[in-house]
Amino acid sequence: MLDSLSTAVIKLDDQGCVREMNTAAENCLAMGRERARGGRFQDFTGIPEALSQAISTTASQQSGRHLRECRLAGGWFDCNIQPLPDQHMLLEFYDLKWQLQQSKLQKLEVQTGMMDLLRRNLGHEIRNPLGGIRGAAQMMAAELNGQELGTLA
């Protein structure tokens, strides 16, 4: 059932060794569960020091922790660390790839909106003076007779 989750879930024993993990955790760590099972999580390559410290603190204080934007082998993740009975711990990793894509998309939408606003305002600024010049030319044409109008051209 855990393998159908998109959230990476890892259960550590009282020694900090991996007991169980799902498919999403394999992607998160870029390591198969057969290789990871029994290994000390904090000794794996690419585990940030802040995450190792948070795991140690959670184990000693028995209170949950949340880390934002942990860089692991599989990308960027937010992490929840929860103590379980018998000094075991549950690690949950939420992939930030979707959130980063959403953030980039929002920035692009803002930039596109700014460009549209600039284009509308620029068009307005160009049309206004041209309208004034055309109005002045029409007034001059109405006041001058045909011969004088020819000398202005």
Side-chain angles (χ1 to χ4, degrees):
M1 179 151 97
L2 289 177
D3 282 332
S4 63
L5 294 176
S6 60
T7 301
V9 178
I10 302 171
K11 182 180 178 185
L12 303 180
D13 65 16
D14 59 338
Q15 301 298 312
C17 297
V18 175
R19 299 287 261 178
E20 300 174 41
M21 62 190 274
N22 65 356
T23 303
E26 290 180 340
N27 295 330
C28 173
L29 298 176
M31 178 185 305
R33 70 183 83 192
E34 310 317 338
R35 184 171 161 224
R37 191 171 288 131
R40 193 166 183 284
F41 181 80
Q42 293 168 317
D43 294 339
F44 292 160
T45 304
I47 302 300
E49 183 62 30
L51 179 56
S52 294
Q53 289 175 352
I55 291 171
S56 298
T57 304
T58 301
S60 64
Q61 296 180 358
Q62 286 296 297
S63 63
R65 297 272 183 282
H66 180 78
L67 293 178
R68 297 189 54 72
E69 298 181 358
C70 292
R71 175 81 171 126
L72 298 171
W76 288 93
F77 298 86
D78 276 354
C79 176
N80 281 331
I81 306 167
Q82 294 297 324
L84 298 173
D86 301 327
Q87 297 290 352
H88 290 207
M89 276 186 280
L90 183 69
L91 309 179
E92 300 171 90
F93 295 95
Y94 302 95
D95 195 345
L96 296 178
K97 185 183 340 176
W98 184 82
Q99 289 176 346
L100 292 173
Q101 288 174 344
Q102 285 296 106
S103 176
K104 286 179 184 177
L105 185 59
Q106 286 175 345
K107 287 178 184 175
L108 184 61
E109 287 174 358
V110 168
Q111 289 174 346
T112 302
M114 298 286 277
M115 291 299 291
D116 287 344
L117 181 63
L118 179 64
R119 188 175 24 245
R120 283 192 305 267
N121 287 341
L122 187 59
H124 175 74
E125 294 301 324
I126 290 172
R127 282 190 303 270
N128 270 356
L130 291 177
I133 293 170
R134 182 178 342 129
Q138 289 171 347
M139 287 175 53
M140 285 177 60
E143 290 178 10
L144 300 174
N145 63 28
Q147 187 179 17
E148 292 173 332
L149 198 57
T151 60
L152 288 175

